[in-house]
Amino acid sequence: MKIKFNQRLFLIIVISCFYVNYASAQHKEVDIQLTATKLTSIALDAKIDSIIKILTLEEKIAMTHAQSKFSTKGVARLGIPEIWMSDGPHGVREEISWDSWSHAEWTNDSITAFPALTALAATFNPELSANYGSSIGEEARYRKKDVLLGPGINIYRTPMNGRNFEYLGEDPYLAATMVVPYIKGVQKNGVAACVKHFALNNQEHWRDKINVELSDRALYEIYLPAFKAAVKEAKVWSIMGAYNKIRGQYACHNELLLNKILKTDWSFDGVVISDWSGAHTTEESAKYGLDIEMGTGTDGLGTSTANHYDNYYLAKPFLKAIKKGVLSEDLLDDKVRRILRLMYRTNLSFNRPLGKLNNKEHHEVALNVATEGIVLLKNEDDFFPIKDDKTITIAVIGENATRVMAPGGGSSELKPQFEISPLEGIKKRFKNAKIIHTMGYSSGPSVYDEVIPTKLDQDSLYVKAIKIAKKADVVLFIGGLNKNHLQDCEGDDREIFQLPYQQEKLINGMHEVNKNIGFLLLTGNAVEMSWLPKTKGVLQTWYLGSMAGEAIAQIISGDKNPSGKLPFSFPKKLKDNAAHFYGETSYPGVNMTQHYKEDILVGYRWFDTKKIAPQYAFGYGLSYTNFKLSDIKTDKNVYSLTDKITVHCTVTNNGNRQGAEVIQVYIGKLNSDVKRALKELKGFKKVFLKSYKKETAKIEINVSDLAFYNEKISDWAVEKGTYSIYVGNASDSISEIIKVTIK
Ligand code: BGC
């Protein structure tokens, strides 16, 4: 075929245009990535501004909303990458399909399941939190994730909240102290942590509509401190908005929470990501602090339509509003600036480590958190530890002895490479004793679990369990809750405070034939314990992930000495809990609004102040050895506002086993001008001691941290006068009270 001269000329022009474009795109890609190596933050901001200038409106819009269930678009022509996210917070979630919630069925995405965050909180050990964070960060990096959607740090307000197991307990100081090292650990891998759910997502029931009304004091003193620590101390790179409303406005685009508190007062320079379908209007998403909109339904609204992601509030509707001049392009540029900053910290960072998955070290971290998190609640007649003796028959009874837990619970579901069940762990450790096992009760069919022998009905399971309990020297009942809907699971709350599935009836029945019963309580929440007198020993064992069975076996055999402390109070009855005391207006709300009537008196603050005895108090946990706290003193009696209070306390291990005790320092203000809790946790230290050894620990507290949020001046203020310093090993076990004066 002959090509005419002018046709040839045309072709040459087209090809060279293409080449120039291609070459400049290549050049820009190199430019963006390489210059990141040496940039100071000022230079980085300038660099980011220069990138924003060359982005088209459409390209910028595309960066601010989902392109799939867990990713956002990049700009290929400039080498700007996509952002890939994954749930958190207990392990990296298995791959989800591009555009549906079904699992992608990959064969290379199984991970280490770390213990639930309640277990981490119960360790009272920030060092373990750092190891947890860096290990999960390494796994996220290996799985090529840029953002890990966790940790969750909502305050434990009611034991009914289906999602408490994903959080760090009821105390803001404990949650803040534990979350900081976790975030730093994750982020040193070049993976952004995304703390969630900001804020006041304290129940799952009606979570996507409920409006929370509360005082400024409760907001600033109870519900925000852990988030503030995440931003100010850990420098977290992203944060997830909550589903609920706060004072009438949705949390994912909330003027007070996001624009004022987070981005102005705390100078947060990272990215606000919506909870999945947590955005509700274009205007508010644009104006009130949201940077990336993610979604549950393919149109972001919980339903699915064609061209779904284009329908997101921050997609076409946002583009249209800017083009019409209804919304300013500056709003968009601020979001893109934050997104690019996140990229330079993660997927455009020049020195990201490569990550690791399922290695021995990660399993070790999971095991250490699990063993240190288990809390010994009761130990009559030294029921635990149990000897591995040829003469002993141990009946292991209860569905949770064999049930896999990691795959349930909602978005924190995991596909671990393995999960050692309690029964497996016990069988492996107890080689001499005779182990007999039966299920005892059944929670019914589970979407996650295929191990339930459904041939047996509840009655025959009961009869068999009683028979087996009768034959045994020791009964280990392994029950509690599970990760099914309406248990410890996202999406709704528990419906009853009691143990489900007729477990109490079973305990009573077993007690009639065998008085030697120990209970391993696998839950992420407090439960009613009227069955307590029927047991000799109780271990709160949470959800412990991959190494669950091994950790449990180490504790019940005495290879490890329990040292966990409760990160939340166990009420005797539900009404004893502050949120429930005030009835429906307080929980779950009336007409989709709830008032946090207990105000600042959350958890032990309520029990202490109202003089209600809990079943088990915040900070409580026994050991196989005996510790004594003595020589408790402060460095001075009178302090000024800029001082630090130093508390000295000697811990002695008076037993023949090594172990660890947590010294807890609470402070309360006498004769305050404002409402106060009797005392609040302000410091703690876990001390590890060989048998018959002692150590003097030092705990420092800034006087400025004794401030309350003064609603009259909308700022923190320290009251002068006399304070009581309570030092003990639980919120209801105080060894010494010292009075000091702040001048
Ligand atoms: C949860 C988030 C989670 C997201 C993505 C939401 O339903 O509330 O915690 O990160 O889904 O799975």
Side-chain angles (χ1 to χ4, degrees), residues 439-512:
M439 198 168 150
Y441 71 92
S442 162
S443 62
S446 152
V447 277
Y448 301 109
D449 216 329
E450 280 145 26
V451 295
I452 300 172
T454 43
K455 273 176 262 154
L456 301 172
D457 61 26
Q458 205 77 282
D459 287 344
S460 43
L461 287 173
Y462 176 88
V463 171
K464 190 163 177 210
I466 303 297
K467 235 191 224 163
I468 289 207
K470 204 171 178 178
K471 277 196 231 158
D473 302 297
V474 176
V475 175
L476 277 181
F477 180 58
I478 308 190
L481 305 175
N482 58 39
K483 301 274 200 73
N484 275 3
H485 183 55
L486 302 176
Q487 299 294 312
D488 283 322
C489 183
E490 180 178 340
D492 213 332
D493 290 346
R494 295 162 61 201
E495 290 178 322
I496 52 164
F497 185 44
Q498 290 82 2
L499 285 175
Y501 322 126
Q502 302 178 29
Q503 290 178 73
E504 180 151 6
K505 180 181 159 204
L506 179 58
I507 296 169
N508 288 337
M510 291 190 300
H511 185 256
E512 280 175 20

Side-chain angles (χ1 to χ4, degrees), residues 89-90 116-119 121 152-170 197 201-204 409 412 481 483 487-494 497 523-526 542-543 567-569 577 580 587:
H90 306 143
L117 290 196
T118 35
I153 51 176
N154 295 92
I155 288 293
Y156 186 113
R157 176 175 182 255
T158 153
M160 306 312 272
N161 180 7
R163 241 178 144 176
N164 278 336
F165 70 100
E166 287 187 63
Y167 303 142
L168 289 166
E170 73 185 20
H197 308 86
N201 184 181
N202 303 111
Q203 68 191 45
E204 286 298 284
S412 64
L481 305 175
K483 301 274 200 73
Q487 299 294 312
D488 283 322
C489 183
E490 180 178 340
D492 213 332
D493 290 346
R494 295 162 61 201
F497 185 44
T523 73
N525 256 320
W542 318 112
Y543 301 113
F568 49 81
S569 321
N577 164 284
H580 294 271
Y587 174 89

Side-chain angles (χ1 to χ4, degrees), residues 70 87 93 163 196-197 207 240 243 275 411 490:
F70 284 95
D87 283 301
R93 190 178 185 178
R163 241 178 144 176
K196 61 194 190 183
H197 308 86
R207 67 172 176 176
M240 185 189 290
Y243 279 129
D275 201 341
S411 63
E490 180 178 340

Side-chain angles (χ1 to χ4, degrees), residues 7 168 398 534 694 706:
Q7 279 178 321
L168 289 166
K534 307 280 166 72
K694 63 178 177 181
L706 305 187

Side-chain angles (χ1 to χ4, degrees), residues 634-640 643 645 703 739-743:
T634 51
D635 56 335
K636 300 195 278 183
N637 297 325
V638 181
Y639 296 88
S640 73
D643 276 346
I645 302 171
V703 170
K739 294 218 168 19
V740 299
T741 305
I742 310 294
K743 283 214 161 151

